[in-house]
Amino acid sequence: MSTDKDENHQRLKAAVHYTVGRLCQKIGEEHRREFSRQAIAAIAETTFRQCDTFAKDLEAFARHGKRSTVSAEDVKLAARRSTALSIYIQKKSEEFNQEQRDLKKNTGKRKSRDTEEESRE
Amino acid sequence: MAEMDAEVAFKKETVRKLLSTFFKEDKTKLSGEAVLLMAEMLKVFVQEAAVRSQKQAESEDCHQVDIEHFEKILPQLLLDF
């Protein structure tokens, strides 16, 4: 039972490590500077732990809204600490909604649902 | 490099599983949009970590970005997220 959980943990860590490695490599190439293995491992570990914090925050936000499903609004709330990040996430959310609307149009199921989101405070 | 143009990002399924394992209650779920936005957020987090570490290495005139550079930028990084 707990070994199962540990294995799952290790797999997820490996997945995070892989993506972190690729992102670092890309940025390293852009700036002509290489990232050491330890640096990548440290960033991966930090990202993994940050996920823990994010998940607990998101869960608490959802529960505060009396929901058991974490919504996009909860994620926006999690990004509140940095203005730039908050704007970026807001933008991505609008892009996603636009895509969904286009998809609906294409499939013919037109629901004229204008969920225009005004920039929330 | 077969996929130079391909955007490096976290897989949606990875993000979903990652967050789900950290939830305290099993019944907590994630909406599709939430997963997508979290994948973006994690990507930004890693990119910030990498770029800031890289800048730190640059300011120290080092060829390689090492763990000590990341250590120096870590406190502010965590305050920003």
Side-chain angles (χ1 to χ4, degrees), chain A residues 20-68:
Chain A
V20 168
R22 288 196 45 196
L23 282 165
C24 283
Q25 195 190 12
K26 203 172 159 200
I27 286 163
E29 275 166 16
E30 280 165 21
H31 296 87
R32 295 186 178 184
R33 213 169 254 104
E34 208 172 79
F35 281 78
S36 77
R37 294 173 68 88
Q38 289 103 313
I40 289 172
I43 295 173
E45 184 66 29
T46 310
T47 309
F48 193 74
R49 291 187 188 196
Q50 188 68 19
C51 263
D52 190 356
T53 316
F54 280 145
K56 299 246 155 66
D57 279 354
L58 291 173
E59 193 176 30
F61 294 158
R63 202 182 306 165
H64 183 71
K66 296 183 174 61
R67 282 175 277 111
S68 63

Side-chain angles (χ1 to χ4, degrees), chain A residues 4-102:
Chain A
D4 237 33
K5 219 173 171 182
D6 280 350
E7 204 184 303
N8 188 34
H9 235 65
Q10 289 307 318
R11 272 190 199 168
L12 285 168
K13 258 192 191 179
V16 171
H17 193 291
Y18 169 75
T19 309
V20 168
R22 288 196 45 196
L23 282 165
C24 283
Q25 195 190 12
K26 203 172 159 200
I27 286 163
E29 275 166 16
E30 280 165 21
H31 296 87
R32 295 186 178 184
R33 213 169 254 104
E34 208 172 79
F35 281 78
S36 77
R37 294 173 68 88
Q38 289 103 313
I40 289 172
I43 295 173
E45 184 66 29
T46 310
T47 309
F48 193 74
R49 291 187 188 196
Q50 188 68 19
C51 263
D52 190 356
T53 316
F54 280 145
K56 299 246 155 66
D57 279 354
L58 291 173
E59 193 176 30
F61 294 158
R63 202 182 306 165
H64 183 71
K66 296 183 174 61
R67 282 175 277 111
S68 63
T69 304
V70 173
S71 72
E73 291 305 308
D74 297 327
V75 180
K76 286 176 200 166
L77 209 54
R80 75 198 176 281
R81 265 186 275 261
S82 150
T83 324
L85 179 67
S86 172
I87 291 167
Y88 180 78
I89 293 292
Q90 183 77 39
K91 205 182 81 200
K92 284 283 165 192
S93 167
E94 274 160 26
E95 276 175 24
F96 177 80
N97 283 323
Q98 188 61 50
E99 270 173 37
Q100 293 298 97
R101 252 173 282 170
D102 290 347

Side-chain angles (χ1 to χ4, degrees), chain B residues 32-74:
Chain B
E33 194 183 354
V35 173
L36 197 112
L37 293 181
M38 274 314 291
E40 280 298 329
M41 190 129 114
L42 288 175
K43 193 182 83 182
V44 173
F45 181 79
V46 176
Q47 282 175 338
E48 277 299 317
V51 171
R52 289 182 195 194
S53 302
Q54 190 278 130
K55 276 210 175 111
Q56 185 63 36
E58 188 180 14
S59 74
E60 291 177 24
D61 216 10
C62 292
H63 286 302
Q64 201 184 39
V65 184
D66 218 332
I67 193 162
E68 64 194 67
H69 304 122
F70 174 60
E71 276 172 0
K72 282 178 192 161
I73 61 99
L74 183 57

